[in-house]
Amino acid sequence: MKNYNISFDEIRELLTAEKYHEDDIASLEKAFEFAKKLHDGQFRISEEPYIIHPMEVVKILIYLRADVHTLMAGFLHDILEDTETKPEEIKELFGEDVLNLVQGVTKLGKLQFKSKEERQAENFRRMFIAMANDVRIIFLKLADRLHNMRTLNFMSAQKQQKIAKETLDIFAPLANRLGVGRVKAELEDLSLKYLYPDKYYEIAQLVSQKKAEREMAVNLLIDKISHDVKASGINAKITGRAKHYYSIYKKMTRLN
């Protein structure tokens, strides 16, 4: 089995780069060490030490500029379900707010379809939002799902299809509704990879052949628009990106 050198150093570098306060970084290291100790000896299907999953979830949350309590809950989000830890211990060590976030994620993780009506994606999304009485719980769940999608290749084909369909129906639209476009795009692309692999690789190949042209076209447009808004006395930063794979797939399907 591969040797893993697991430490807080990489997380600390990210937090420092994003200008998180030193006191917050110290609190997060405490949460990391607590989670690392409790998950010791646990492994994912990929044979990686389990602690790597919460670490990757926290990295996604740092990218989303989550507050320190959400990041702490990122390290601890599987503790109640996967270890013997009691809620009182989390509350005592990390506070009631962090405990509420961890319990919220745990509760959503147990949510199952109970009826045909609930299986309709929009109904399920509404129920999901209603149960998460704090929007940070949804961000935690999105980060958790995104890392699970990134490692979906270790699952059986049947599970890949089920999880990818659920991601496309439930989690990508939630990410869109919360305004995290890059998370939405990655969830959609990863879902496409497992639901329609032939289409995914066909589009990936076509896109890679045109990548330089696409980037050049986007950059030319940015320059033109930036010049025009500046000439109009508007102080604005213009950004752009090429369409992601799923977006291209949807347009190809729509236009037959």
Side-chain angles (χ1 to χ4, degrees):
M1 189 179 284
K2 180 180 174 183
N3 284 327
Y4 291 91
N5 181 23
I6 297 165
S7 77
F8 188 70
D9 292 347
E10 186 183 359
I11 302 286
R12 182 186 287 106
E13 284 179 21
L14 289 173
L15 292 165
T16 303
E18 292 295 329
K19 297 184 169 50
Y20 281 84
H21 196 276
E22 278 298 322
D23 289 347
D24 290 341
I25 294 175
S27 297
L28 285 163
E29 185 167 14
K30 179 184 172 185
F32 163 76
E33 292 295 347
F34 183 74
K36 184 183 175 187
K37 181 182 175 184
L38 286 168
H39 286 304
D40 186 40
Q42 295 180 345
F43 296 88
R44 283 167 66 83
I45 294 174
S46 61
E47 298 186 352
E48 289 180 329
Y50 196 91
I51 188 62
I52 288 176
H53 170 64
M55 289 176 75
E56 292 299 321
V57 167
V58 168
K59 287 180 192 175
I60 294 165
L61 291 166
I62 292 170
Y63 160 73
L64 295 175
R65 291 293 303 161
D67 70 302
V68 65
H69 285 178
T70 307
L71 296 179
M72 289 164 79
F75 281 128
L76 306 170
H77 74 275
D78 284 326
I79 293 288
L80 292 178
E81 198 163 9
D82 295 347
T83 76
E84 299 297 316
T85 310
K86 297 287 186 285
E88 295 76 25
E89 190 175 359
I90 294 176
K91 182 178 177 180
E92 184 182 340
L93 289 170
F94 304 106
E96 189 170 5
D97 190 42
V98 173
L99 172 61
N100 288 339
L101 293 172
V102 173
Q103 287 181 319
V105 175
T106 305
K107 186 168 68 172
L108 287 183
K110 293 175 180 175
L111 195 57
Q112 299 289 328
F113 297 119
K114 291 190 182 71
S115 69
K116 188 177 178 182
E117 289 72 28
E118 283 178 13
R119 288 192 192 98
Q120 294 177 15
E122 180 59 27
N123 289 339
F124 192 74
R125 287 197 298 269
R126 284 176 184 160
M127 185 165 56
F128 207 82
I129 291 167
M131 284 184 68
N133 55 5
D134 186 328
V135 73
R136 294 175 297 171
I137 294 168
I138 302 287
F139 280 103
L140 277 157
K141 198 64 193 164
L142 285 174
D144 176 56
R145 176 53 61 113
L146 179 53
H147 182 246
N148 283 336
M149 286 299 293
R150 287 174 179 174
T151 55
L152 199 58
N153 55 305
F154 295 102
M155 293 280 192
S156 67
Q158 187 180 359
K159 280 196 170 181
Q160 287 174 350
Q161 291 267 318
K162 179 181 178 292
I163 293 168
K165 182 75 168 68
E166 185 182 75
T167 299
L168 200 56
D169 288 347
I170 307 298
F171 292 96
L174 280 173
N176 186 50
R177 194 168 292 181
L178 291 174
V180 279
R182 281 182 66 176
V183 172
K184 167 192 172 277
E186 189 176 349
L187 288 173
E188 288 179 339
D189 283 354
L190 288 167
S191 297
L192 180 67
K193 181 179 178 181
Y194 292 102
L195 290 171
Y196 308 105
D198 293 346
K199 291 293 181 189
Y200 173 87
Y201 288 110
E202 179 189 352
I203 292 167
Q205 188 177 12
L206 292 168
V207 165
S208 67
Q209 291 169 353
K210 304 274 187 182
K211 190 167 188 288
E213 295 172 31
R214 282 150 38 95
E215 287 179 350
M216 190 182 296
V218 170
N219 289 332
L220 282 170
L221 276 168
I222 289 171
D223 289 344
K224 175 75 170 70
I225 296 167
S226 297
H227 179 269
D228 289 349
V229 296
K230 192 175 181 182
S232 301
I234 300 168
N235 182 24
K237 182 182 179 183
I238 310 298
T239 60
R241 60 172 178 80
K243 290 172 84 70
H244 62 288
Y245 296 172
Y246 183 74
S247 178
I248 293 169
Y249 166 75
K250 288 288 283 182
K251 192 166 189 179
M252 286 168 67
T253 307
R254 192 171 66 248
L255 300 178
N256 197 27

